[in-house]
Coordinates of all heavy atoms in Angstrom, one line a residue:
M1 N 32.2 46.7 87.8 CA 31.6 47.4 86.7 C 30.7 48.5 87.2 O 30.0 48.4 88.2 CB 30.8 46.4 85.9 CG 30.2 46.9 84.6 SD 29.2 45.8 83.7 CE 30.4 45.2 82.5
K2 N 30.8 49.6 86.6 CA 30.0 50.8 87.0 C 28.6 50.6 86.7 O 28.2 49.8 85.8 CB 30.5 52.0 86.3 CG 31.9 52.4 86.7 CD 32.4 53.7 85.9 CE 33.8 54.0 86.3 NZ 34.2 55.2 85.5
T3 N 27.7 51.3 87.4 CA 26.3 51.2 87.2 C 25.9 51.7 85.8 O 25.0 51.1 85.2 CB 25.5 52.1 88.3 OG1 26.0 51.6 89.5 CG2 24.0 51.9 88.1
T4 N 26.6 52.7 85.3 CA 26.2 53.2 84.0 C 26.6 52.2 82.9 O 25.8 52.1 81.9 CB 27.0 54.6 83.7 OG1 28.4 54.4 83.9 CG2 26.4 55.7 84.5
H5 N 27.7 51.5 83.1 CA 28.0 50.4 82.2 C 27.0 49.3 82.2 O 26.7 48.7 81.1 CB 29.4 49.9 82.4 CG 30.5 50.8 82.0 ND1 31.7 50.9 82.7 CD2 30.6 51.7 81.1 CE1 32.5 51.8 82.2 NE2 31.8 52.3 81.2
R6 N 26.5 49.0 83.4 CA 25.5 47.9 83.4 C 24.2 48.4 82.7 O 23.6 47.6 82.0 CB 25.1 47.6 84.9 CG 26.2 46.8 85.6 CD 25.7 46.4 86.9 NE 26.8 45.9 87.7 CZ 27.0 46.1 89.0 NH1 26.1 46.7 89.7 NH2 28.1 45.7 89.6
L7 N 23.8 49.6 83.0 CA 22.6 50.1 82.3 C 22.8 50.2 80.8 O 21.9 49.9 80.0 CB 22.2 51.5 82.9 CG 21.7 51.5 84.3 CD1 21.5 52.9 84.8 CD2 20.5 50.6 84.5
F8 N 24.0 50.6 80.4 CA 24.4 50.7 79.0 C 24.3 49.3 78.3 O 23.9 49.2 77.2 CB 25.8 51.3 78.9 CG 26.0 52.0 77.6 CD1 25.2 53.1 77.2 CD2 27.1 51.7 76.8 CE1 25.4 53.8 76.0 CE2 27.4 52.4 75.7 CZ 26.5 53.4 75.3
G9 N 24.7 48.3 79.1 CA 24.6 46.9 78.6 C 23.2 46.4 78.5 O 23.0 45.5 77.7
L10 N 22.3 46.9 79.3 CA 20.9 46.4 79.2 C 20.1 47.1 78.1 O 19.1 46.6 77.7 CB 20.2 46.7 80.5 CG 20.7 45.9 81.7 CD1 20.0 46.3 83.0 CD2 20.5 44.4 81.5
L11 N 20.7 48.2 77.5 CA 19.9 48.9 76.5 C 19.6 48.0 75.3 O 18.5 48.1 74.8 CB 20.7 50.1 76.1 CG 20.1 51.1 75.1 CD1 18.8 51.7 75.7 CD2 21.0 52.2 74.7
P12 N 20.6 47.2 74.7 CA 20.2 46.4 73.6 C 19.1 45.4 73.9 O 18.3 45.1 73.1 CB 21.5 45.7 73.3 CG 22.6 46.5 73.8 CD 22.0 47.2 75.0
L13 N 19.1 44.8 75.1 CA 18.1 43.9 75.5 C 16.7 44.6 75.6 O 15.7 44.0 75.1 CB 18.4 43.3 76.9 CG 19.6 42.4 76.9 CD1 19.9 42.0 78.4 CD2 19.5 41.2 76.1
L14 N 16.7 45.8 76.1 CA 15.4 46.5 76.2 C 14.9 46.9 74.8 O 13.7 46.7 74.5 CB 15.6 47.8 77.1 CG 14.4 48.6 77.3 CD1 13.4 47.9 78.1 CD2 14.8 49.9 78.0
V15 N 15.8 47.4 74.0 CA 15.3 47.8 72.6 C 14.9 46.6 71.8 O 13.9 46.6 71.1 CB 16.5 48.6 71.9 CG1 16.1 48.8 70.4 CG2 16.7 49.9 72.6
G16 N 15.7 45.5 71.9 CA 15.3 44.2 71.2 C 13.9 43.7 71.7 O 13.1 43.3 70.9
A17 N 13.7 43.8 73.0 CA 12.4 43.3 73.5 C 11.2 44.2 73.0 O 10.2 43.6 72.7 CB 12.4 43.3 75.1
V18 N 11.4 45.5 73.0 CA 10.4 46.4 72.6 C 10.1 46.1 71.1 O 8.9 46.0 70.7 CB 10.8 47.8 72.9 CG1 9.8 48.8 72.2 CG2 10.8 48.1 74.4
I19 N 11.1 46.1 70.3 CA 10.9 45.9 68.8 C 10.2 44.5 68.6 O 9.3 44.4 67.8 CB 12.2 46.1 68.1 CG1 12.6 47.5 68.1 CG2 12.0 45.6 66.6 CD1 13.9 47.8 67.5
A20 N 10.7 43.5 69.3 CA 10.1 42.1 69.1 C 8.7 42.1 69.5 O 7.8 41.5 68.9 CB 11.0 41.1 69.9
A21 N 8.4 42.7 70.6 CA 7.0 42.8 71.1 C 6.1 43.5 70.1 O 5.0 43.1 69.9 CB 6.9 43.4 72.5
A22 N 6.6 44.6 69.6 CA 5.8 45.4 68.6 C 5.6 44.6 67.3 O 4.5 44.5 66.8 CB 6.6 46.7 68.2
A23 N 6.6 43.8 66.9 CA 6.4 43.0 65.7 C 5.5 41.8 66.0 O 4.6 41.5 65.1 CB 7.8 42.5 65.2
G24 N 5.6 41.2 67.2 CA 4.7 40.2 67.5 C 3.3 40.6 67.6 O 2.3 40.0 67.2
H25 N 3.1 41.8 68.2 CA 1.7 42.4 68.3 C 1.2 42.7 66.9 O 0.0 42.4 66.6 CB 1.8 43.7 69.1 CG 0.4 44.3 69.2 ND1 -0.6 43.8 70.0 CD2 -0.1 45.5 68.7 CE1 -1.6 44.6 69.9 NE2 -1.3 45.6 69.1
A26 N 2.0 43.1 66.0 CA 1.6 43.4 64.6 C 1.2 42.1 63.9 O 0.2 42.1 63.1 CB 2.7 44.1 63.8
L27 N 1.9 41.0 64.1 CA 1.6 39.8 63.5 C 0.3 39.2 64.0 O -0.4 38.4 63.2 CB 2.8 38.8 63.7 CG 4.0 39.0 62.9 CD1 5.1 38.0 63.4 CD2 3.8 38.9 61.4
T28 N -0.1 39.4 65.2 CA -1.3 38.8 65.7 C -2.6 39.4 64.9 O -3.6 38.7 64.8 CB -1.5 39.1 67.2 OG1 -1.5 40.5 67.4 CG2 -0.5 38.4 68.0
G29 N -2.4 40.5 64.4 CA -3.5 41.1 63.6 C -3.7 40.4 62.2 O -4.8 40.5 61.6
Y30 N -2.8 39.6 61.8 CA -2.9 38.9 60.5 C -3.3 37.4 60.7 O -3.2 36.7 59.8 CB -1.6 39.0 59.8 CG -1.3 40.4 59.3 CD1 -0.4 41.2 60.0 CD2 -1.9 40.9 58.1 CE1 -0.1 42.5 59.6 CE2 -1.6 42.2 57.7 CZ -0.7 43.0 58.4 OH -0.5 44.2 58.0
G31 N -3.6 37.1 61.9 CA -4.0 35.7 62.2 C -2.8 34.7 62.1 O -3.0 33.5 61.9
V32 N -1.6 35.1 62.4 CA -0.4 34.2 62.4 C -0.5 33.4 63.6 O -0.8 33.9 64.7 CB 0.9 35.1 62.3 CG1 2.1 34.2 62.5 CG2 0.9 35.9 61.1
P33 N -0.3 32.0 63.5 CA -0.3 31.2 64.7 C 0.7 31.6 65.7 O 1.7 32.2 65.4 CB 0.1 29.8 64.1 CG -0.2 29.9 62.7 CD 0.0 31.3 62.3
L34 N 0.3 31.3 67.0 CA 1.1 31.8 68.1 C 2.6 31.3 68.1 O 3.5 32.0 68.4 CB 0.5 31.4 69.4 CG 1.2 31.8 70.7 CD1 1.2 33.4 70.8 CD2 0.5 31.2 71.9
T35 N 2.8 30.0 67.6 CA 4.1 29.5 67.6 C 5.0 30.3 66.6 O 6.2 30.5 66.9 CB 4.1 28.0 67.3 OG1 3.4 27.8 66.1 CG2 3.5 27.2 68.4
L36 N 4.4 30.6 65.4 CA 5.2 31.4 64.5 C 5.5 32.8 64.9 O 6.5 33.4 64.7 CB 4.5 31.4 63.1 CG 4.4 30.1 62.3 CD1 3.6 30.3 61.1 CD2 5.8 29.6 62.1
T37 N 4.5 33.4 65.6 CA 4.7 34.7 66.2 C 5.8 34.7 67.2 O 6.6 35.6 67.2 CB 3.4 35.2 66.8 OG1 2.3 35.2 65.8 CG2 3.5 36.6 67.4
I38 N 5.8 33.7 68.1 CA 6.9 33.6 69.1 C 8.2 33.4 68.4 O 9.2 34.0 68.7 CB 6.6 32.4 70.1 CG1 5.4 32.8 70.9 CG2 7.8 32.1 70.9 CD1 4.9 31.7 71.8
A39 N 8.3 32.5 67.4 CA 9.5 32.3 66.7 C 10.0 33.6 66.0 O 11.2 33.9 66.0 CB 9.4 31.2 65.6
A40 N 9.1 34.3 65.3 CA 9.5 35.5 64.7 C 10.0 36.5 65.7 O 11.0 37.2 65.5 CB 8.4 36.1 63.9
G41 N 9.3 36.6 66.8 CA 9.7 37.6 67.9 C 11.0 37.3 68.5 O 11.8 38.2 68.7
L42 N 11.3 36.0 68.7 CA 12.6 35.6 69.2 C 13.7 35.9 68.2 O 14.8 36.3 68.6 CB 12.6 34.1 69.6 CG 11.8 33.7 70.8 CD1 11.8 32.2 71.0 CD2 12.4 34.4 72.1
G43 N 13.4 35.7 66.9 CA 14.4 36.0 65.9 C 14.7 37.5 65.8 O 15.9 37.9 65.7
I44 N 13.7 38.3 65.9 CA 13.8 39.7 65.8 C 14.6 40.2 67.1 O 15.5 41.0 67.0 CB 12.5 40.4 65.7 CG1 11.9 40.1 64.3 CG2 12.6 41.9 66.0 CD1 10.4 40.5 64.1
F45 N 14.2 39.6 68.2 CA 14.9 40.0 69.5 C 16.4 39.7 69.4 O 17.2 40.5 69.8 CB 14.2 39.3 70.7 CG 15.0 39.4 72.0 CD1 14.9 40.6 72.7 CD2 15.8 38.4 72.4 CE1 15.6 40.7 73.9 CE2 16.5 38.5 73.6 CZ 16.4 39.7 74.3
S46 N 16.7 38.5 68.9 CA 18.1 38.1 68.8 C 18.9 39.0 67.9 O 20.0 39.4 68.2 CB 18.2 36.6 68.4 OG 19.5 36.3 68.1
S47 N 18.3 39.3 66.7 CA 19.0 40.1 65.7 C 19.2 41.5 66.2 O 20.3 42.1 66.1 CB 18.2 40.1 64.4 OG 18.1 38.8 63.9
V48 N 18.1 42.1 66.7 CA 18.2 43.5 67.2 C 19.2 43.6 68.3 O 20.0 44.6 68.4 CB 16.8 44.1 67.5 CG1 16.9 45.4 68.2 CG2 16.0 44.2 66.3
T49 N 19.1 42.7 69.3 CA 20.0 42.7 70.4 C 21.5 42.6 70.0 O 22.4 43.3 70.4 CB 19.7 41.6 71.4 OG1 18.3 41.8 71.8 CG2 20.6 41.6 72.6
N50 N 21.7 41.7 69.1 CA 23.1 41.5 68.6 C 23.6 42.7 67.8 O 24.8 43.2 68.1 CB 23.1 40.3 67.6 CG 24.6 39.9 67.3 OD1 25.5 40.2 68.0 ND2 24.7 39.1 66.2
V51 N 22.8 43.3 67.0 CA 23.3 44.5 66.2 C 23.5 45.7 67.2 O 24.5 46.4 67.1 CB 22.3 44.8 65.1 CG1 22.5 46.2 64.5 CG2 22.3 43.8 64.0
M52 N 22.6 45.9 68.1 CA 22.7 47.0 69.0 C 24.0 46.8 69.9 O 24.7 47.8 70.2 CB 21.5 47.1 69.9 CG 20.3 47.6 69.2 SD 19.8 49.3 69.5 CE 20.5 49.8 71.0
D53 N 24.2 45.6 70.3 CA 25.4 45.3 71.2 C 26.7 45.6 70.4 O 27.6 46.2 70.9 CB 25.3 43.9 71.6 CG 26.3 43.6 72.7 OD1 26.4 44.4 73.7 OD2 27.0 42.6 72.7
R54 N 26.7 45.2 69.2 CA 27.9 45.4 68.4 C 28.1 46.9 68.1 O 29.2 47.5 68.1 CB 27.8 44.7 67.0 CG 28.0 43.3 67.2 CD 28.6 42.7 65.9 NE 29.0 41.3 66.2 CZ 30.3 40.9 66.0 NH1 31.2 41.7 65.6 NH2 30.6 39.7 66.2
L55 N 27.0 47.6 67.8 CA 27.1 49.1 67.6 C 27.6 49.8 68.8 O 28.4 50.7 68.7 CB 25.8 49.6 67.1 CG 25.3 49.3 65.7 CD1 23.9 49.8 65.4 CD2 26.3 49.8 64.7
L56 N 27.1 49.4 70.0 CA 27.5 50.1 71.2 C 29.0 49.8 71.5 O 29.7 50.6 72.0 CB 26.6 49.7 72.4 CG 25.2 50.3 72.3 CD1 24.3 49.7 73.5 CD2 25.3 51.8 72.5
Q57 N 29.4 48.5 71.3 CA 30.8 48.2 71.5 C 31.7 48.9 70.6 O 32.8 49.4 71.0 CB 31.0 46.7 71.3 CG 30.6 45.9 72.5 CD 30.9 44.4 72.3 OE1 31.4 44.0 71.3 NE2 30.6 43.6 73.4
N58 N 31.3 49.1 69.3 CA 32.2 49.8 68.4 C 32.2 51.3 68.7 O 33.2 52.0 68.5 CB 31.7 49.6 67.0 CG 32.1 48.2 66.4 OD1 33.0 47.6 67.0 ND2 31.4 47.8 65.4
A59 N 31.1 51.8 69.3 CA 31.1 53.2 69.6 C 31.9 53.5 70.8 O 32.5 54.6 70.9 CB 29.6 53.7 69.9
T60 N 32.1 52.6 71.7 CA 32.8 52.9 72.9 C 34.2 52.3 72.9 O 35.0 52.5 73.9 CB 32.1 52.3 74.2 OG1 31.9 50.9 74.0 CG2 30.7 53.0 74.3
A61 N 34.6 51.6 71.9 CA 35.9 50.9 71.8 C 37.0 51.8 71.3 O 36.7 52.8 70.6 CB 35.8 49.7 70.9
V62 N 38.2 51.5 71.8 CA 39.4 52.2 71.3 C 40.2 51.2 70.4 O 40.4 50.1 70.9 CB 40.3 52.7 72.4 CG1 41.6 53.3 71.9 CG2 39.5 53.6 73.3
T63 N 40.6 51.6 69.2 CA 41.3 50.7 68.3 C 42.7 51.2 68.1 O 42.9 52.3 67.8 CB 40.6 50.6 67.0 OG1 39.2 50.2 67.2 CG2 41.2 49.6 66.0
H64 N 43.6 50.2 68.3 CA 45.0 50.5 68.0 C 45.4 49.6 66.8 O 45.1 48.4 66.8 CB 45.9 50.2 69.2 CG 45.6 51.0 70.4 ND1 45.8 52.4 70.4 CD2 45.1 50.7 71.6 CE1 45.4 52.8 71.6 NE2 45.0 51.8 72.3
Q65 N 46.1 50.2 65.8 CA 46.4 49.5 64.6 C 47.8 49.7 64.2 O 48.4 50.8 64.4 CB 45.5 50.0 63.5 CG 45.6 49.2 62.2 CD 44.5 49.6 61.2 OE1 43.7 50.4 61.4 NE2 44.5 48.9 60.1
C66 N 48.4 48.6 63.7 CA 49.8 48.7 63.2 C 49.8 49.5 61.9 O 48.8 49.5 61.1 CB 50.3 47.3 62.9 SG 52.0 47.2 62.2
T67 N 50.8 50.3 61.7 CA 50.9 51.2 60.6 C 51.4 50.5 59.3 O 51.2 51.0 58.2 CB 51.8 52.4 60.8 OG1 53.1 51.8 61.2 CG2 51.3 53.2 61.9
T68 N 52.0 49.3 59.4 CA 52.5 48.6 58.2 C 51.7 47.3 57.8 O 51.9 46.8 56.8 CB 53.9 48.2 58.4 OG1 54.1 47.4 59.6 CG2 54.8 49.4 58.6
C69 N 50.8 46.8 58.7 CA 50.1 45.6 58.4 C 48.6 45.8 58.9 O 48.3 46.8 59.4 CB 50.7 44.4 58.9 SG 50.7 44.2 60.7
D70 N 47.9 44.7 58.8 CA 46.5 44.8 59.2 C 46.2 44.4 60.7 O 45.1 44.3 61.1 CB 45.6 43.8 58.4 CG 45.6 44.2 56.9 OD1 45.7 45.5 56.7 OD2 45.3 43.4 56.0
F71 N 47.3 44.2 61.5 CA 47.1 43.9 62.9 C 46.4 45.0 63.6 O 46.8 46.2 63.5 CB 48.5 43.6 63.5 CG 48.4 43.3 65.0 CD1 48.0 42.0 65.4 CD2 48.7 44.3 65.9 CE1 48.0 41.7 66.7 CE2 48.6 44.0 67.3 CZ 48.2 42.7 67.7
R72 N 45.4 44.7 64.3 CA 44.6 45.7 65.1 C 44.1 45.1 66.4 O 43.8 43.9 66.5 CB 43.5 46.3 64.3 CG 42.4 45.4 64.0 CD 41.2 46.0 63.4 NE 41.5 47.0 62.4 CZ 40.6 47.8 61.9 NH1 39.4 47.8 62.4 NH2 40.9 48.7 61.0
V73 N 44.0 45.9 67.4 CA 43.5 45.5 68.7 C 42.4 46.5 69.0 O 42.5 47.7 68.9 CB 44.6 45.6 69.8 CG1 44.0 45.2 71.1 CG2 45.7 44.7 69.4
Q74 N 41.2 46.0 69.5 CA 40.1 46.8 69.8 C 39.8 46.6 71.3 O 39.6 45.4 71.7 CB 38.9 46.4 69.0 CG 37.8 47.5 69.1 CD 36.7 47.2 68.1 OE1 36.4 46.1 67.8 NE2 36.2 48.3 67.5
L75 N 39.9 47.6 72.1 CA 39.7 47.5 73.6 C 38.4 48.2 74.0 O 38.1 49.3 73.5 CB 40.9 48.2 74.2 CG 42.3 47.8 73.8 CD1 43.3 48.7 74.4 CD2 42.5 46.3 74.3
T76 N 37.8 47.6 75.0 CA 36.6 48.3 75.6 C 36.8 48.2 77.1 O 37.3 47.2 77.7 CB 35.3 47.6 75.3 OG1 35.4 46.2 75.6 CG2 35.0 47.7 73.8
N77 N 36.5 49.3 77.8 CA 36.5 49.4 79.2 C 37.9 49.1 79.8 O 38.0 48.3 80.8 CB 35.4 48.4 79.9 CG 34.0 48.8 79.5 OD1 33.7 49.9 79.2 ND2 33.2 47.8 79.3
C78 N 38.9 49.6 79.3 CA 40.2 49.4 79.8 C 40.8 50.7 80.4 O 40.3 51.8 80.0 CB 41.2 48.9 78.8 SG 41.6 50.0 77.5
G79 N 41.7 50.6 81.3 CA 42.3 51.8 81.9 C 43.4 52.4 81.0 O 43.8 51.8 80.0
A80 N 44.0 53.5 81.5 CA 45.0 54.2 80.8 C 46.3 53.4 80.6 O 46.9 53.4 79.6 CB 45.3 55.5 81.4
V81 N 46.6 52.6 81.6 CA 47.8 51.8 81.6 C 47.7 50.7 80.5 O 48.6 50.5 79.7 CB 48.1 51.2 82.9 CG1 49.3 50.2 82.9 CG2 48.4 52.3 84.0
D82 N 46.6 50.0 80.5 CA 46.3 48.9 79.5 C 46.2 49.5 78.1 O 46.7 48.9 77.2 CB 45.0 48.2 79.8 CG 45.2 47.2 81.0 OD1 46.4 46.8 81.2 OD2 44.2 46.8 81.6
N83 N 45.6 50.7 78.0 CA 45.4 51.3 76.7 C 46.8 51.7 76.2 O 47.1 51.4 75.0 CB 44.6 52.6 76.9 CG 44.2 53.2 75.6 OD1 44.2 52.5 74.6 ND2 44.0 54.5 75.6
R84 N 47.7 52.2 77.0 CA 49.1 52.6 76.5 C 49.9 51.3 76.2 O 50.6 51.3 75.2 CB 49.8 53.4 77.6 CG 51.2 53.8 77.3 CD 51.1 54.8 76.1 NE 52.5 55.1 75.7 CZ 52.8 55.6 74.6 NH1 51.9 55.8 73.7 NH2 54.0 55.9 74.3
R85 N 49.7 50.2 77.0 CA 50.4 49.0 76.7 C 50.0 48.4 75.4 O 50.9 48.0 74.6 CB 50.2 48.0 77.9 CG 51.0 46.7 77.7 CD 50.8 45.9 79.0 NE 49.5 45.5 79.3 CZ 49.0 44.3 78.9 NH1 49.8 43.4 78.3 NH2 47.8 43.9 79.1
W86 N 48.7 48.4 75.1 CA 48.3 47.8 73.8 C 48.6 48.7 72.7 O 48.8 48.2 71.5 CB 46.8 47.5 73.9 CG 46.5 46.2 74.6 CD1 46.0 46.1 75.9 CD2 46.7 44.9 74.1 NE1 45.9 44.8 76.2 CE2 46.3 44.0 75.1 CE3 47.2 44.4 72.9 CZ2 46.4 42.6 74.9 CZ3 47.3 43.0 72.7 CH2 46.9 42.2 73.7
Q87 N 48.7 50.0 72.9 CA 49.1 50.9 71.8 C 50.6 50.6 71.4 O 50.9 50.6 70.2 CB 49.0 52.3 72.3 CG 49.2 53.4 71.3 CD 49.1 54.8 71.8 OE1 49.2 55.0 73.0 NE2 48.8 55.7 70.9
E88 N 51.4 50.4 72.4 CA 52.8 50.0 72.1 C 52.9 48.7 71.5 O 53.7 48.5 70.6 CB 53.6 50.1 73.4 CG 53.8 51.4 74.0 CD 54.4 51.5 75.4 OE1 54.7 50.4 75.9 OE2 54.6 52.6 75.9
I89 N 52.1 47.7 71.9 CA 52.1 46.4 71.3 C 51.7 46.5 69.8 O 52.3 45.8 69.0 CB 51.2 45.4 72.1 CG1 51.9 45.1 73.5 CG2 51.0 44.1 71.3 CD1 51.0 44.3 74.4
A90 N 50.7 47.2 69.6 CA 50.2 47.3 68.2 C 51.2 48.0 67.3 O 51.4 47.7 66.1 CB 48.9 48.1 68.1
A91 N 52.0 49.0 67.9 CA 53.0 49.7 67.1 C 54.2 48.9 66.8 O 54.9 49.1 65.8 CB 53.3 51.0 67.8
N92 N 54.5 48.0 67.7 CA 55.8 47.2 67.6 C 55.5 45.7 67.9 O 56.0 45.2 68.9 CB 56.8 47.8 68.5 CG 58.2 47.2 68.2 OD1 58.4 46.6 67.2 ND2 59.1 47.3 69.2
H93 N 54.7 45.1 67.1 CA 54.5 43.6 67.4 C 55.5 42.8 66.5 O 55.9 43.3 65.4 CB 53.0 43.3 67.1 CG 52.6 43.5 65.7 ND1 52.5 42.4 64.8 CD2 52.2 44.6 65.0 CE1 52.1 42.9 63.6 NE2 51.9 44.2 63.7
P94 N 55.9 41.7 67.0 CA 57.0 40.9 66.3 C 56.6 40.3 65.0 O 57.5 40.2 64.1 CB 57.3 39.8 67.3 CG 56.1 39.7 68.2 CD 55.4 41.0 68.2
H95 N 55.4 40.0 64.7 CA 55.1 39.3 63.5 C 54.1 40.1 62.7 O 52.9 40.0 62.9 CB 54.5 37.9 63.8 CG 55.4 37.0 64.6 ND1 56.5 36.5 64.1 CD2 55.3 36.6 65.9 CE1 57.1 35.8 65.0 NE2 56.4 35.8 66.1
H96 N 54.6 40.9 61.8 CA 53.7 41.6 60.9 C 53.0 40.6 60.0 O 53.6 39.8 59.4 CB 54.4 42.6 60.1 CG 55.0 43.8 61.0 ND1 54.2 44.8 61.4 CD2 56.2 44.0 61.5 CE1 54.9 45.6 62.1 NE2 56.1 45.1 62.2
V97 N 51.7 40.8 59.9 CA 50.9 39.9 59.1 C 51.0 40.2 57.6 O 50.9 41.3 57.3 CB 49.4 39.9 59.5 CG1 48.6 38.9 58.7 CG2 49.3 39.6 61.0
Ligands
ZN1 ZN1 52.2 45.0 61.8

């Protein structure tokens, strides 16, 4: 895996941690108990990380879709040979859904 891909993969974790820390810091001003602040922070971290990860995957993915049915393949980080092979599979798969 390339270094840029590793750094790109860490971006959702970093953004999630920053937003969760900011929300946790904001909650301490309202006298929220520490356990609830931690629970809220973990929930925010999990949600933001998951959404950011999905958005980044969708932004970098290549999708091949059958023209007659709903069959589709979404590829990330694949080479030209695999990309071409999956394009042919999507265009001519045996069982149209
Ligand atoms: Zn099909």
